[in-house]
Amino acid sequence: MIKEQSKFNNSNIFEGMPSISAVIKSIENGNSDRLIIAVYVDEQRVDAKRKEIGFLKAKAVRHGFDIHFEKHEHIDELAVGNTHGGIIAECTDKTIPLLDEKSIVSNGVYYMLEGIEDPYNFGNAIRSLYASGADGIIVGSRNWLGVAGTVARASAGASELLPAYVCDSAADAVNMFKACGYRTVCAGIRDSVSLFETDLAKPIFIVLGGEKRGISRSVLELADDIVRIDYGTNFNGSLSASASAAVFAFEVLRYNKK
């Protein structure tokens, strides 16, 4: 229960090689000011992790972090999850820049994630958006990116690689993208059209809400289209935010490959 609750706490402990490798890649690409302070390796798994340890030692020389070999119990105590594979990293915070028109590419795909109430759901959504080729995500100042380690684990490191920007007002974000020539699509039900019958050509800005709160009416009124996901059966429930993000992301990818 303690570990389950700790997933909601701000944490810069990154667990497992996919997350740690993504942190390193983001630093080396110049996309992040996050730093690795230290890496901790389970001393019982040194033989099984020789390849990973060799990689980390080379990166430690380049980036100036320490590698410590610790008892399994200490690694497990620091980690939130149980899938770290015996390797975790302690990192600094990362700056999430404010959204402005200069940061928006000319013919891209961006998503705004609003009202997602679980860091795993948030991380899973980011995984799909990154895999589909999105150019960035927009979040409010209150977001799950502070729970960096948990989100990185849920997203298989994608949260460190997909550019993110902060904008407290979804309406302001929509207007910024409109000024850059983007169409805005919002997920919703009332007055909606089918996702599969919608113009999803780039440049496009898509606003997705959580299962409970959805998207505010003031933002929906700014949308060029309000779009729903049609089901293949008579189902009255909602998809999870991460499932909806995956459907939108890959339908946008498919549409723009025409």
Side-chain angles (χ1 to χ4, degrees):
M1 179 60 73
I2 293 175
K3 277 187 177 285
E4 179 65 17
Q5 288 302 316
S6 64
K7 75 180 183 180
F8 295 101
N9 299 330
N10 284 12
S11 171
N12 287 322
I13 299 294
F14 287 76
E15 306 175 19
M17 284 304 298
S19 294
I20 298 170
S21 296
V23 172
I24 293 171
K25 182 176 180 180
S26 186
I27 293 170
E28 293 183 345
N29 288 344
N31 296 329
S32 173
D33 60 355
R34 193 188 301 285
L35 299 175
I36 298 176
I37 299 169
V39 170
Y40 300 91
V41 179
D42 186 340
E43 62 186 14
Q44 297 178 12
R45 307 194 67 173
V46 170
D47 287 341
K49 298 293 180 179
R50 289 196 181 278
K51 181 179 178 181
E52 291 88 344
I53 293 169
F55 169 81
L56 291 168
K57 283 183 175 179
K59 296 300 182 181
V61 172
R62 179 173 179 178
H63 297 291
F65 58 83
D66 297 321
I67 299 177
H68 303 280
F69 296 91
E70 302 282 349
K71 291 185 180 299
H72 171 79
E73 291 77 13
H74 183 58
I75 302 291
D76 201 46
E77 182 182 334
L78 290 172
V80 173
N82 299 309
T83 57
H84 47 73
I87 303 177
I88 62 176
E90 179 186 4
C91 301
T92 64
D93 289 334
K94 178 173 75 172
T95 303
I96 309 299
L98 294 175
L99 178 68
D100 61 28
E101 292 181 20
K102 294 179 181 178
S103 59
I104 299 172
V105 302
S106 60
N107 190 42
V109 179
Y110 289 84
Y111 293 83
M112 187 163 195
L113 303 177
E114 279 203 309
I116 298 181
E117 300 183 7
D118 181 277
Y120 291 132
N121 214 2
F122 182 75
N124 282 325
I126 290 177
R127 184 193 300 219
S128 295
L129 300 183
Y130 180 72
S132 73
D135 293 286
I137 59 165
I138 317 304
V139 296
S141 58
R142 292 173 59 86
N143 61 70
W144 289 116
L145 291 173
V147 193
T150 298
V151 173
R153 186 156 53 90
S155 69
S159 57
E160 292 298 299
L161 300 172
L162 181 62
Y165 304 91
V166 172
C167 187
D168 269 343
S169 166
D172 286 349
V174 170
N175 287 326
M176 239 182 279
F177 277 97
K178 282 181 177 291
C180 293
Y182 277 65
R183 293 180 64 256
T184 296
V185 168
C186 290
I189 297 299
R190 185 177 298 178
D191 301 322
S192 63
V193 295
S194 172
L195 172 65
F196 309 118
E197 299 173 0
T198 302
D199 179 3
L200 300 173
K202 298 191 294 185
I204 190 167
F205 177 48
I206 298 170
V207 184
L208 303 174
E211 299 97 306
K212 293 183 180 179
R213 288 183 286 170
I215 300 168
S216 66
R217 172 52 57 180
S218 61
V219 174
L220 291 173
E221 288 174 351
L222 293 172
D224 294 293
D225 283 305
I226 300 172
V227 173
R228 67 181 183 273
I229 298 172
D230 287 337
Y231 297 163
T233 190
N234 185 19
F235 176 58
N236 294 324
S238 297
L239 295 180
S240 68
S242 60
S244 295
V247 173
F248 268 85
F250 286 96
E251 178 61 13
V252 170
L253 175 63
R254 185 201 65 80
Y255 189 95
N256 284 281
K257 281 188 172 182
K258 289 180 178 179

PDB file of all heavy atoms in Angstrom, residues 8 10 36 40 53 67 78 87-88 93 120 161-162 166-167 172 178 194 198 200 203 215 233 235-236 248 250 254:
ATOM      1  N   PHE A   8       1.945   8.681  -6.433  1.00  0.00           N
ATOM      2  CA  PHE A   8       1.384  10.015  -6.594  1.00  0.00           C
ATOM      3  C   PHE A   8       2.322  11.109  -6.085  1.00  0.00           C
ATOM      4  O   PHE A   8       2.015  12.291  -6.210  1.00  0.00           O
ATOM      5  CB  PHE A   8       0.041  10.112  -5.847  1.00  0.00           C
ATOM      6  CG  PHE A   8      -1.024   9.225  -6.426  1.00  0.00           C
ATOM      7  CD1 PHE A   8      -1.333   8.010  -5.825  1.00  0.00           C
ATOM      8  CD2 PHE A   8      -1.706   9.580  -7.574  1.00  0.00           C
ATOM      9  CE1 PHE A   8      -2.306   7.178  -6.353  1.00  0.00           C
ATOM     10  CE2 PHE A   8      -2.690   8.754  -8.111  1.00  0.00           C
ATOM     11  CZ  PHE A   8      -2.991   7.552  -7.494  1.00  0.00           C
ATOM     12  N   ASN A  10       5.791  13.380  -5.973  1.00  0.00           N
ATOM     13  CA  ASN A  10       6.838  13.824  -6.882  1.00  0.00           C
ATOM     14  C   ASN A  10       8.104  13.022  -6.642  1.00  0.00           C
ATOM     15  O   ASN A  10       8.540  12.857  -5.506  1.00  0.00           O
ATOM     16  CB  ASN A  10       7.114  15.321  -6.689  1.00  0.00           C
ATOM     17  CG  ASN A  10       6.041  16.188  -7.323  1.00  0.00           C
ATOM     18  OD1 ASN A  10       4.982  15.700  -7.708  1.00  0.00           O
ATOM     19  ND2 ASN A  10       6.310  17.462  -7.439  1.00  0.00           N
ATOM     20  N   ILE A  36      21.555  13.355 -14.251  1.00  0.00           N
ATOM     21  CA  ILE A  36      21.600  12.141 -13.438  1.00  0.00           C
ATOM     22  C   ILE A  36      22.593  12.374 -12.307  1.00  0.00           C
ATOM     23  O   ILE A  36      23.760  12.717 -12.537  1.00  0.00           O
ATOM     24  CB  ILE A  36      22.024  10.925 -14.281  1.00  0.00           C
ATOM     25  CG1 ILE A  36      20.998  10.668 -15.384  1.00  0.00           C
ATOM     26  CG2 ILE A  36      22.163   9.682 -13.399  1.00  0.00           C
ATOM     27  CD1 ILE A  36      21.381   9.534 -16.326  1.00  0.00           C
ATOM     28  N   TYR A  40      22.113   3.398  -9.161  1.00  0.00           N
ATOM     29  CA  TYR A  40      22.251   2.354  -8.148  1.00  0.00           C
ATOM     30  C   TYR A  40      21.961   1.005  -8.804  1.00  0.00           C
ATOM     31  O   TYR A  40      20.938   0.836  -9.474  1.00  0.00           O
ATOM     32  CB  TYR A  40      21.287   2.591  -6.992  1.00  0.00           C
ATOM     33  CG  TYR A  40      21.532   3.923  -6.299  1.00  0.00           C
ATOM     34  CD1 TYR A  40      20.852   5.077  -6.713  1.00  0.00           C
ATOM     35  CD2 TYR A  40      22.438   4.029  -5.247  1.00  0.00           C
ATOM     36  CE1 TYR A  40      21.077   6.298  -6.100  1.00  0.00           C
ATOM     37  CE2 TYR A  40      22.671   5.248  -4.622  1.00  0.00           C
ATOM     38  CZ  TYR A  40      21.985   6.376  -5.056  1.00  0.00           C
ATOM     39  OH  TYR A  40      22.227   7.583  -4.443  1.00  0.00           O
ATOM     40  N   ILE A  53      25.648  -2.306 -17.379  1.00  0.00           N
ATOM     41  CA  ILE A  53      26.617  -1.622 -16.524  1.00  0.00           C
ATOM     42  C   ILE A  53      27.735  -1.005 -17.359  1.00  0.00           C
ATOM     43  O   ILE A  53      28.181   0.127 -17.106  1.00  0.00           O
ATOM     44  CB  ILE A  53      27.186  -2.590 -15.465  1.00  0.00           C
ATOM     45  CG1 ILE A  53      26.074  -2.993 -14.471  1.00  0.00           C
ATOM     46  CG2 ILE A  53      28.355  -1.962 -14.708  1.00  0.00           C
ATOM     47  CD1 ILE A  53      26.449  -4.132 -13.555  1.00  0.00           C
ATOM     48  N   ILE A  67      28.150   5.617  -9.991  1.00  0.00           N
ATOM     49  CA  ILE A  67      27.447   4.328  -9.992  1.00  0.00           C
ATOM     50  C   ILE A  67      27.766   3.626  -8.674  1.00  0.00           C
ATOM     51  O   ILE A  67      28.929   3.469  -8.310  1.00  0.00           O
ATOM     52  CB  ILE A  67      27.879   3.453 -11.177  1.00  0.00           C
ATOM     53  CG1 ILE A  67      27.552   4.157 -12.503  1.00  0.00           C
ATOM     54  CG2 ILE A  67      27.174   2.092 -11.123  1.00  0.00           C
ATOM     55  CD1 ILE A  67      28.010   3.399 -13.738  1.00  0.00           C
ATOM     56  N   LEU A  78      14.122   2.192  -2.479  1.00  0.00           N
ATOM     57  CA  LEU A  78      14.102   3.440  -3.233  1.00  0.00           C
ATOM     58  C   LEU A  78      13.065   3.438  -4.349  1.00  0.00           C
ATOM     59  O   LEU A  78      12.501   4.476  -4.684  1.00  0.00           O
ATOM     60  CB  LEU A  78      15.484   3.707  -3.835  1.00  0.00           C
ATOM     61  CG  LEU A  78      16.611   4.073  -2.867  1.00  0.00           C
ATOM     62  CD1 LEU A  78      17.938   4.116  -3.621  1.00  0.00           C
ATOM     63  CD2 LEU A  78      16.331   5.410  -2.205  1.00  0.00           C
ATOM     64  N   ILE A  87      18.228  -1.892 -11.474  1.00  0.00           N
ATOM     65  CA  ILE A  87      18.958  -0.662 -11.792  1.00  0.00           C
ATOM     66  C   ILE A  87      18.007   0.531 -11.684  1.00  0.00           C
ATOM     67  O   ILE A  87      16.940   0.538 -12.301  1.00  0.00           O
ATOM     68  CB  ILE A  87      19.557  -0.698 -13.208  1.00  0.00           C
ATOM     69  CG1 ILE A  87      20.489  -1.902 -13.371  1.00  0.00           C
ATOM     70  CG2 ILE A  87      20.318   0.596 -13.505  1.00  0.00           C
ATOM     71  CD1 ILE A  87      21.068  -2.045 -14.768  1.00  0.00           C
ATOM     72  N   ILE A  88      18.388   1.533 -10.895  1.00  0.00           N
ATOM     73  CA  ILE A  88      17.602   2.757 -10.775  1.00  0.00           C
ATOM     74  C   ILE A  88      18.547   3.958 -10.824  1.00  0.00           C
ATOM     75  O   ILE A  88      19.751   3.823 -10.626  1.00  0.00           O
ATOM     76  CB  ILE A  88      16.770   2.803  -9.474  1.00  0.00           C
ATOM     77  CG1 ILE A  88      17.682   2.771  -8.242  1.00  0.00           C
ATOM     78  CG2 ILE A  88      15.765   1.656  -9.430  1.00  0.00           C
ATOM     79  CD1 ILE A  88      16.922   2.915  -6.940  1.00  0.00           C
ATOM     80  N   ASP A  93      15.362  17.619 -11.214  1.00  0.00           N
ATOM     81  CA  ASP A  93      14.146  18.035 -11.894  1.00  0.00           C
ATOM     82  C   ASP A  93      14.454  18.426 -13.342  1.00  0.00           C
ATOM     83  O   ASP A  93      15.605  18.683 -13.705  1.00  0.00           O
ATOM     84  CB  ASP A  93      13.518  19.240 -11.190  1.00  0.00           C
ATOM     85  CG  ASP A  93      12.908  18.878  -9.849  1.00  0.00           C
ATOM     86  OD1 ASP A  93      12.526  17.712  -9.666  1.00  0.00           O
ATOM     87  OD2 ASP A  93      12.835  19.777  -8.979  1.00  0.00           O
ATOM     88  N   TYR A 120      -0.084   6.624 -14.173  1.00  0.00           N
ATOM     89  CA  TYR A 120       0.104   5.500 -15.092  1.00  0.00           C
ATOM     90  C   TYR A 120      -0.694   5.723 -16.372  1.00  0.00           C
ATOM     91  O   TYR A 120      -0.214   5.469 -17.484  1.00  0.00           O
ATOM     92  CB  TYR A 120      -0.304   4.185 -14.430  1.00  0.00           C
ATOM     93  CG  TYR A 120       0.612   3.755 -13.310  1.00  0.00           C
ATOM     94  CD1 TYR A 120       0.089   3.345 -12.096  1.00  0.00           C
ATOM     95  CD2 TYR A 120       1.989   3.757 -13.469  1.00  0.00           C
ATOM     96  CE1 TYR A 120       0.926   2.949 -11.048  1.00  0.00           C
ATOM     97  CE2 TYR A 120       2.832   3.363 -12.438  1.00  0.00           C
ATOM     98  CZ  TYR A 120       2.298   2.967 -11.234  1.00  0.00           C
ATOM     99  OH  TYR A 120       3.127   2.577 -10.216  1.00  0.00           O
ATOM    100  N   LEU A 161      11.284  11.915 -23.794  1.00  0.00           N
ATOM    101  CA  LEU A 161      11.653  12.154 -25.186  1.00  0.00           C
ATOM    102  C   LEU A 161      10.662  13.037 -25.938  1.00  0.00           C
ATOM    103  O   LEU A 161      11.045  13.716 -26.889  1.00  0.00           O
ATOM    104  CB  LEU A 161      11.791  10.806 -25.907  1.00  0.00           C
ATOM    105  CG  LEU A 161      12.848   9.859 -25.314  1.00  0.00           C
ATOM    106  CD1 LEU A 161      12.753   8.486 -25.977  1.00  0.00           C
ATOM    107  CD2 LEU A 161      14.248  10.436 -25.466  1.00  0.00           C
ATOM    108  N   LEU A 162       9.390  13.004 -25.544  1.00  0.00           N
ATOM    109  CA  LEU A 162       8.376  13.810 -26.224  1.00  0.00           C
ATOM    110  C   LEU A 162       8.385  15.231 -25.653  1.00  0.00           C
ATOM    111  O   LEU A 162       8.187  15.413 -24.458  1.00  0.00           O
ATOM    112  CB  LEU A 162       6.984  13.187 -26.037  1.00  0.00           C
ATOM    113  CG  LEU A 162       5.814  13.895 -26.718  1.00  0.00           C
ATOM    114  CD1 LEU A 162       5.994  13.908 -28.231  1.00  0.00           C
ATOM    115  CD2 LEU A 162       4.497  13.230 -26.341  1.00  0.00           C
ATOM    116  N   VAL A 166       4.020  23.880 -21.001  1.00  0.00           N
ATOM    117  CA  VAL A 166       2.998  24.222 -20.015  1.00  0.00           C
ATOM    118  C   VAL A 166       2.159  25.383 -20.520  1.00  0.00           C
ATOM    119  O   VAL A 166       2.693  26.387 -21.012  1.00  0.00           O
ATOM    120  CB  VAL A 166       3.640  24.597 -18.663  1.00  0.00           C
ATOM    121  CG1 VAL A 166       2.588  25.146 -17.700  1.00  0.00           C
ATOM    122  CG2 VAL A 166       4.321  23.382 -18.037  1.00  0.00           C
ATOM    123  N   CYS A 167       0.838  25.233 -20.399  1.00  0.00           N
ATOM    124  CA  CYS A 167      -0.089  26.336 -20.662  1.00  0.00           C
ATOM    125  C   CYS A 167      -1.294  26.120 -19.763  1.00  0.00           C
ATOM    126  O   CYS A 167      -2.016  25.130 -19.925  1.00  0.00           O
ATOM    127  CB  CYS A 167      -0.506  26.379 -22.128  1.00  0.00           C
ATOM    128  SG  CYS A 167      -1.502  27.833 -22.552  1.00  0.00           S
ATOM    129  N   ASP A 172      -6.239  29.438 -24.177  1.00  0.00           N
ATOM    130  CA  ASP A 172      -5.068  30.177 -24.662  1.00  0.00           C
ATOM    131  C   ASP A 172      -4.230  29.307 -25.595  1.00  0.00           C
ATOM    132  O   ASP A 172      -3.702  29.783 -26.605  1.00  0.00           O
ATOM    133  CB  ASP A 172      -4.205  30.627 -23.476  1.00  0.00           C
ATOM    134  CG  ASP A 172      -4.827  31.791 -22.716  1.00  0.00           C
ATOM    135  OD1 ASP A 172      -5.796  32.384 -23.218  1.00  0.00           O
ATOM    136  OD2 ASP A 172      -4.331  32.087 -21.605  1.00  0.00           O
ATOM    137  N   LYS A 178      -4.094  28.246 -33.230  1.00  0.00           N
ATOM    138  CA  LYS A 178      -4.843  28.837 -34.344  1.00  0.00           C
ATOM    139  C   LYS A 178      -4.026  29.935 -35.024  1.00  0.00           C
ATOM    140  O   LYS A 178      -4.012  30.061 -36.260  1.00  0.00           O
ATOM    141  CB  LYS A 178      -6.181  29.394 -33.841  1.00  0.00           C
ATOM    142  CG  LYS A 178      -7.258  28.340 -33.615  1.00  0.00           C
ATOM    143  CD  LYS A 178      -8.550  28.984 -33.146  1.00  0.00           C
ATOM    144  CE  LYS A 178      -9.665  27.951 -32.989  1.00  0.00           C
ATOM    145  NZ  LYS A 178     -10.124  27.402 -34.294  1.00  0.00           N
ATOM    146  N   SER A 194     -17.793  11.691 -36.154  1.00  0.00           N
ATOM    147  CA  SER A 194     -16.946  10.525 -35.951  1.00  0.00           C
ATOM    148  C   SER A 194     -15.483  10.856 -36.239  1.00  0.00           C
ATOM    149  O   SER A 194     -15.165  11.552 -37.209  1.00  0.00           O
ATOM    150  CB  SER A 194     -17.394   9.384 -36.863  1.00  0.00           C
ATOM    151  OG  SER A 194     -16.453   8.314 -36.805  1.00  0.00           O
ATOM    152  N   THR A 198     -13.390  12.550 -40.009  1.00  0.00           N
ATOM    153  CA  THR A 198     -12.939  13.910 -39.713  1.00  0.00           C
ATOM    154  C   THR A 198     -11.650  14.225 -40.473  1.00  0.00           C
ATOM    155  O   THR A 198     -10.800  13.362 -40.665  1.00  0.00           O
ATOM    156  CB  THR A 198     -12.685  14.064 -38.199  1.00  0.00           C
ATOM    157  OG1 THR A 198     -13.883  13.748 -37.493  1.00  0.00           O
ATOM    158  CG2 THR A 198     -12.263  15.487 -37.849  1.00  0.00           C
ATOM    159  N   LEU A 200      -8.222  15.194 -40.468  1.00  0.00           N
ATOM    160  CA  LEU A 200      -7.154  15.167 -39.470  1.00  0.00           C
ATOM    161  C   LEU A 200      -5.813  15.563 -40.075  1.00  0.00           C
ATOM    162  O   LEU A 200      -4.751  15.241 -39.537  1.00  0.00           O
ATOM    163  CB  LEU A 200      -7.046  13.761 -38.863  1.00  0.00           C
ATOM    164  CG  LEU A 200      -8.302  13.235 -38.154  1.00  0.00           C
ATOM    165  CD1 LEU A 200      -8.117  11.774 -37.755  1.00  0.00           C
ATOM    166  CD2 LEU A 200      -8.626  14.088 -36.929  1.00  0.00           C
ATOM    167  N   PRO A 203      -1.412  20.837 -40.279  1.00  0.00           N
ATOM    168  CA  PRO A 203      -1.125  20.912 -38.851  1.00  0.00           C
ATOM    169  C   PRO A 203      -2.402  20.814 -38.019  1.00  0.00           C
ATOM    170  O   PRO A 203      -3.429  21.401 -38.374  1.00  0.00           O
ATOM    171  CB  PRO A 203      -0.470  22.287 -38.700  1.00  0.00           C
ATOM    172  CG  PRO A 203      -1.083  23.106 -39.798  1.00  0.00           C
ATOM    173  CD  PRO A 203      -1.316  22.161 -40.936  1.00  0.00           C
ATOM    174  N   ILE A 215     -13.712  17.965 -21.267  1.00  0.00           N
ATOM    175  CA  ILE A 215     -13.171  19.251 -21.710  1.00  0.00           C
ATOM    176  C   ILE A 215     -14.215  20.330 -21.474  1.00  0.00           C
ATOM    177  O   ILE A 215     -15.406  20.115 -21.702  1.00  0.00           O
ATOM    178  CB  ILE A 215     -12.800  19.182 -23.210  1.00  0.00           C
ATOM    179  CG1 ILE A 215     -11.746  18.087 -23.435  1.00  0.00           C
ATOM    180  CG2 ILE A 215     -12.282  20.522 -23.715  1.00  0.00           C
ATOM    181  CD1 ILE A 215     -11.532  17.753 -24.900  1.00  0.00           C
ATOM    182  N   THR A 233     -19.578  -1.856 -30.808  1.00  0.00           N
ATOM    183  CA  THR A 233     -20.645  -2.564 -30.101  1.00  0.00           C
ATOM    184  C   THR A 233     -21.433  -1.568 -29.271  1.00  0.00           C
ATOM    185  O   THR A 233     -21.039  -0.396 -29.138  1.00  0.00           O
ATOM    186  CB  THR A 233     -20.048  -3.664 -29.194  1.00  0.00           C
ATOM    187  OG1 THR A 233     -21.105  -4.490 -28.686  1.00  0.00           O
ATOM    188  CG2 THR A 233     -19.267  -3.071 -28.033  1.00  0.00           C
ATOM    189  N   PHE A 235     -21.880  -0.086 -26.289  1.00  0.00           N
ATOM    190  CA  PHE A 235     -21.158   0.068 -25.027  1.00  0.00           C
ATOM    191  C   PHE A 235     -21.358   1.487 -24.522  1.00  0.00           C
ATOM    192  O   PHE A 235     -21.053   2.460 -25.219  1.00  0.00           O
ATOM    193  CB  PHE A 235     -19.672  -0.228 -25.254  1.00  0.00           C
ATOM    194  CG  PHE A 235     -18.805  -0.009 -24.044  1.00  0.00           C
ATOM    195  CD1 PHE A 235     -19.047  -0.696 -22.868  1.00  0.00           C
ATOM    196  CD2 PHE A 235     -17.734   0.884 -24.089  1.00  0.00           C
ATOM    197  CE1 PHE A 235     -18.238  -0.495 -21.753  1.00  0.00           C
ATOM    198  CE2 PHE A 235     -16.931   1.087 -22.984  1.00  0.00           C
ATOM    199  CZ  PHE A 235     -17.181   0.397 -21.815  1.00  0.00           C
ATOM    200  N   ASN A 236     -21.869   1.638 -23.298  1.00  0.00           N
ATOM    201  CA  ASN A 236     -22.183   2.963 -22.759  1.00  0.00           C
ATOM    202  C   ASN A 236     -21.054   3.568 -21.942  1.00  0.00           C
ATOM    203  O   ASN A 236     -21.154   4.706 -21.493  1.00  0.00           O
ATOM    204  CB  ASN A 236     -23.448   2.879 -21.889  1.00  0.00           C
ATOM    205  CG  ASN A 236     -24.683   2.541 -22.689  1.00  0.00           C
ATOM    206  OD1 ASN A 236     -24.822   2.987 -23.837  1.00  0.00           O
ATOM    207  ND2 ASN A 236     -25.573   1.739 -22.123  1.00  0.00           N
ATOM    208  N   PHE A 248      -6.786   8.086 -31.107  1.00  0.00           N
ATOM    209  CA  PHE A 248      -6.598   9.352 -31.818  1.00  0.00           C
ATOM    210  C   PHE A 248      -5.230   9.402 -32.491  1.00  0.00           C
ATOM    211  O   PHE A 248      -5.108   9.770 -33.664  1.00  0.00           O
ATOM    212  CB  PHE A 248      -6.734  10.527 -30.840  1.00  0.00           C
ATOM    213  CG  PHE A 248      -8.122  11.080 -30.734  1.00  0.00           C
ATOM    214  CD1 PHE A 248      -9.048  10.526 -29.870  1.00  0.00           C
ATOM    215  CD2 PHE A 248      -8.514  12.167 -31.510  1.00  0.00           C
ATOM    216  CE1 PHE A 248     -10.330  11.034 -29.770  1.00  0.00           C
ATOM    217  CE2 PHE A 248      -9.793  12.685 -31.412  1.00  0.00           C
ATOM    218  CZ  PHE A 248     -10.708  12.115 -30.547  1.00  0.00           C
ATOM    219  N   PHE A 250      -3.068   7.166 -33.526  1.00  0.00           N
ATOM    220  CA  PHE A 250      -2.767   6.330 -34.695  1.00  0.00           C
ATOM    221  C   PHE A 250      -3.749   6.557 -35.832  1.00  0.00           C
ATOM    222  O   PHE A 250      -3.415   6.286 -36.988  1.00  0.00           O
ATOM    223  CB  PHE A 250      -2.655   4.869 -34.269  1.00  0.00           C
ATOM    224  CG  PHE A 250      -1.367   4.618 -33.533  1.00  0.00           C
ATOM    225  CD1 PHE A 250      -1.327   4.640 -32.155  1.00  0.00           C
ATOM    226  CD2 PHE A 250      -0.181   4.439 -34.233  1.00  0.00           C
ATOM    227  CE1 PHE A 250      -0.130   4.467 -31.474  1.00  0.00           C
ATOM    228  CE2 PHE A 250       1.014   4.257 -33.556  1.00  0.00           C
ATOM    229  CZ  PHE A 250       1.045   4.282 -32.179  1.00  0.00           C
ATOM    230  N   ARG A 254      -2.406   7.453 -39.456  1.00  0.00           N
ATOM    231  CA  ARG A 254      -2.936   6.799 -40.660  1.00  0.00           C
ATOM    232  C   ARG A 254      -3.434   7.830 -41.661  1.00  0.00           C
ATOM    233  O   ARG A 254      -3.155   7.738 -42.872  1.00  0.00           O
ATOM    234  CB  ARG A 254      -4.062   5.847 -40.259  1.00  0.00           C
ATOM    235  CG  ARG A 254      -4.615   5.016 -41.428  1.00  0.00           C
ATOM    236  CD  ARG A 254      -6.017   4.490 -41.126  1.00  0.00           C
ATOM    237  NE  ARG A 254      -6.986   5.564 -41.004  1.00  0.00           N
ATOM    238  CZ  ARG A 254      -7.547   6.189 -42.036  1.00  0.00           C
ATOM    239  NH1 ARG A 254      -7.228   5.865 -43.270  1.00  0.00           N
ATOM    240  NH2 ARG A 254      -8.417   7.159 -41.831  1.00  0.00           N
TER     241      ARG A 254
END
